[in-house]
Amino acid sequence: MRRLIAVAAGILVALAFAPAAHAAEPPPMSGSDWDNPRTAAPAIAKPPTRSCSATIVDHAFDNYDVYSQSYAAPCRGPWAKVVLRLDGSVAGRQYDRLGWLTMGGVEIFKTSTPEPSPDGIAWSVEKDVTAYSALLARPQTVNMYLGNTVDDTYTGVLKVKVTLTFYAASRSPGTADDVLPLADQHTDGQDLAGTLTVPRDTERLLAEVYATGSGGGCEEFWYLTAPSPTGYSCPADPGPYREVQVLVDGRVAGIAAPFPHVYTGGWSNPYLWYVLPAPRAFDIRPIGYDLTPFLGRLTDGAPHTVSVHVVGVPVGQGGWDTPINFLGWRDPGGRPVTGALLGSHLSTLTDDVTTGPGSVAVHAVHSFRATGYVRTSHGLVTTSVSERVGNDSTHRWGAGENPDALTASWTDDVTGLVAGRSRFAGVTRAADRYTLDGGITVDAGDRLTTTLTMTDAGLGRSDTYRGQASYLLDAPRDQRQATGTSEERYRQGRYDRTIRTRNGFVVGQAPATSAAK
């Protein structure tokens, strides 16, 4: 883990690409050039309607300033779909960087970057941002941050262009009427806090949190932390369990499992990720929460306190970024909405941590439920939300933390029930499963090898990455004798695609069976 931190600290959505030119057979070792990054995910389906586009970012990121410019929609809605596309390029030497993009203070995109070859790479990421249509319909200020060190050693300048393309619709697709940022943001201890004032006729309210353990340090690899008595180099008491909670007026209103992000310098081995990034590395998706049971307390026209708390982070330690946005739907009748929270219950957290010489095992379970009602112009509507998260992991390490291995899984199950005369009536379910199974070893010849399997799965969807790469430690870049293989398989409905790489070049791409996104 010490090596993992040292390497990384310096450091869907669809990914479009144009393959780099290379020989039919990959080289016997990774060299100074490799294919452009890509993923096996399906392309975003675009409707066959007229469209218009606007460039909202066109900038070379070479420092830690925030890029800013004004925005106005290039055409009027309604829109059937709005697609954000990032085109990036970088050459030279550079670590992976974490960035975000906001419009009107609302975070709509969060990303990390690939590490470049000396000759240069290009990559493109697309994200469906139709949910933010109400925000995009009005003039806004665009801010993008992609902090980057450029000097005589780290020469890679991140050239980024972001465009929005709007596809016309004959009628509104039913997206939120309001997209709201957290106002008066500040830090309350370790928590992000602020206020939210919702329109008085709001009948449905969702929140989303772009949560990442990031910025280098141990919380970037929170799932590998261990209780301090174990002597592991990344201590955290009581252990590695993390949970992202949203609180309204000091009361828990939702819980969720964070995704175990791995960036393109992660697990001490950039050779794993040159062509195929880990799931969600280029598109860091938000965690969703249904706050509708609490609406009866929020539609009084007054500001209410909202905070985001990450369970398990040691007291006094930072390392998490948790921006929160809100999406609200208004009563079509336009009348003020009243109501009440009928009840909520947060179970006692089960967080069983077992330690031994060079090991820590965790079994954690937590659940939450809430029910509330609102009186609308179309009648009484009751919303119930039930959430259950879990984590099981086994972390083992040897002398000097060599080897260092983890097998871990996370579950996040959500059921929503809306009863009454409502366009949202019915039952919704989500069931996410994340896994990490990998290890790092260093042999007697000082050769580091990382082996990792990672899965991001939900209802009807599975994205699995497998890879192994090795190189000589403390050797100049051109003398590392690096080798690596990787594979990604993405399945969704009838769509099924696999990409394989060896030593930085694609060696197999199973064609997708059908488009599915």
Side-chain angles (χ1 to χ4, degrees):
M1 183 63 184
R2 291 185 180 93
R3 290 190 176 92
L4 192 155
I5 293 296
V7 172
I11 323 204
L12 194 173
V13 177
L15 184 72
F17 64 91
H22 60 85
E25 286 295 319
M29 292 184 292
S30 295
S32 62
D33 191 22
W34 45 85
D35 274 343
N36 289 330
R38 65 200 68 194
T39 78
I44 293 176
K46 287 98 170 174
T49 60
R50 60 182 175 83
S51 65
C52 64
S53 297
T55 297
I56 59 174
V57 176
D58 193 352
H59 188 65
F61 290 89
D62 59 2
N63 55 33
Y64 290 81
D65 294 339
V66 175
Y67 172 85
S68 182
Q69 79 165 37
S70 59
Y71 157 85
C75 55
R76 297 182 61 182
W79 303 302
K81 186 164 287 187
V82 185
V83 177
L84 178 151
R85 179 182 172 95
L86 179 149
D87 290 291
S89 63
V90 60
R93 182 178 183 182
Q94 196 52 265
Y95 289 115
D96 54 319
R97 304 298 184 184
L98 190 65
W100 48 257
L101 188 151
T102 66
M103 298 186 71
V106 173
E107 188 146 317
I108 69 169
F109 182 58
K110 196 172 191 177
T111 188
S112 68
T113 62
E115 295 194 7
S117 66
D119 295 340
I121 57 170
W123 78 103
S124 298
V125 186
E126 288 188 340
K127 177 181 179 179
D128 184 345
V129 294
T130 313
Y132 304 116
S133 290
L135 177 78
L136 302 176
R138 300 186 300 273
Q140 306 289 353
T141 297
V142 176
N143 287 323
M144 184 170 184
Y145 174 80
L146 194 56
N148 188 25
T149 295
V150 177
D151 54 26
D152 291 341
T153 301
Y154 303 106
T155 59
V157 176
L158 294 161
K159 299 177 181 179
V160 171
K161 182 179 181 180
V162 181
T163 58
L164 293 173
T165 301
F166 301 78
Y167 296 87
S170 58
R171 60 181 180 178
S172 172
T175 53
D177 297 297
D178 299 289
V179 181
L180 305 170
L182 184 68
D184 306 316
Q185 291 190 29
H186 61 279
T187 301
D188 183 3
Q190 294 169 289
D191 300 345
L192 173 68
T195 61
L196 170 68
T197 304
V198 301
R200 298 194 66 183
D201 57 348
T202 302
E203 65 173 354
R204 185 189 188 208
L205 182 67
L206 307 182
E208 54 180 28
V209 177
Y210 284 85
T212 51
S214 53
C218 290
E219 285 303 303
E220 183 168 332
F221 309 99
W222 49 269
Y223 42 80
L224 281 166
T225 60
S228 52
T230 65
Y232 191 72
S233 60
C234 272
D237 296 309
Y241 179 76
R242 300 291 183 271
E243 174 183 303
V244 183
Q245 298 182 343
V246 173
L247 291 81
V248 175
D249 291 332
R251 184 170 186 166
V252 173
I255 67 174
F259 186 78
H261 295 101
V262 179
Y263 308 119
T264 58
W267 282 65
S268 296
N269 209 320
Y271 296 97
L272 281 171
W273 318 110
Y274 281 151
V275 181
L276 295 177
R280 304 198 192 192
F282 292 166
D283 172 49
I284 296 170
R285 303 174 200 162
I287 302 169
Y289 302 81
D290 191 342
L291 304 183
T292 308
F294 292 80
L295 257 182
R297 296 184 166 199
L298 303 178
T299 54
D300 56 1
H304 291 262
T305 300
V306 177
S307 59
V308 182
H309 174 65
V310 181
V311 174
V313 179
V315 175
Q317 180 172 308
W320 280 82
D321 183 45
T322 56
I324 183 171
N325 308 321
F326 306 91
L327 293 88
W329 284 257
R330 300 197 189 193
D331 182 345
R335 58 176 286 180
V337 169
T338 61
L341 175 68
L342 295 174
S344 66
H345 176 71
L346 181 68
S347 73
T348 300
L349 170 63
T350 297
D351 187 8
D352 296 332
V353 180
T354 304
T355 61
S359 70
V360 56
V362 174
H363 171 70
V365 178
H366 208 193
S367 63
F368 172 78
R369 65 177 184 271
T371 300
Y373 73 89
V374 288
R375 294 186 182 92
T376 71
S377 65
H378 46 85
L380 191 72
V381 180
T382 301
T383 300
S384 296
V385 177
S386 176
E387 300 164 342
R388 186 180 188 276
V389 297
N391 172 217
D392 288 282
S393 70
T394 301
H395 181 191
R396 294 188 176 91
W397 62 92
E401 298 176 9
N402 179 30
D404 195 352
L406 175 75
T407 300
S409 63
W410 295 264
T411 58
D412 192 327
D413 298 295
V414 182
T415 301
L417 171 63
V418 179
R421 296 184 62 186
S422 170
R423 53 186 160 157
F424 307 111
V427 178
T428 58
R429 293 187 176 88
D432 291 326
R433 303 287 186 273
Y434 319 132
T435 66
L436 280 175
D437 186 358
I440 301 170
T441 62
V442 180
D443 65 17
D446 217 23
R447 187 172 186 83
L448 183 147
T449 299
T450 305
T451 304
L452 185 66
T453 298
M454 184 175 182
T455 297
D456 170 18
L459 293 175
R461 174 188 59 81
S462 178
D463 186 5
T464 299
Y465 171 94
R466 294 181 176 86
Q468 183 179 71
S470 65
Y471 64 97
L472 288 175
L473 286 170
D474 302 321
R477 186 171 185 166
D478 59 354
Q479 298 175 31
R480 291 180 181 176
Q481 300 177 28
T483 60
T485 60
S486 65
E487 174 186 296
E488 182 194 13
R489 183 181 185 186
Y490 196 106
R491 289 176 287 178
Q492 182 177 352
R494 293 187 299 166
Y495 180 93
D496 190 344
R497 188 184 185 199
T498 300
I499 301 176
R500 298 181 180 88
T501 79
R502 187 165 70 248
N503 298 336
F505 293 99
V506 172
V507 294
Q509 298 189 70
T513 54
S514 68
K517 199 163 185 178

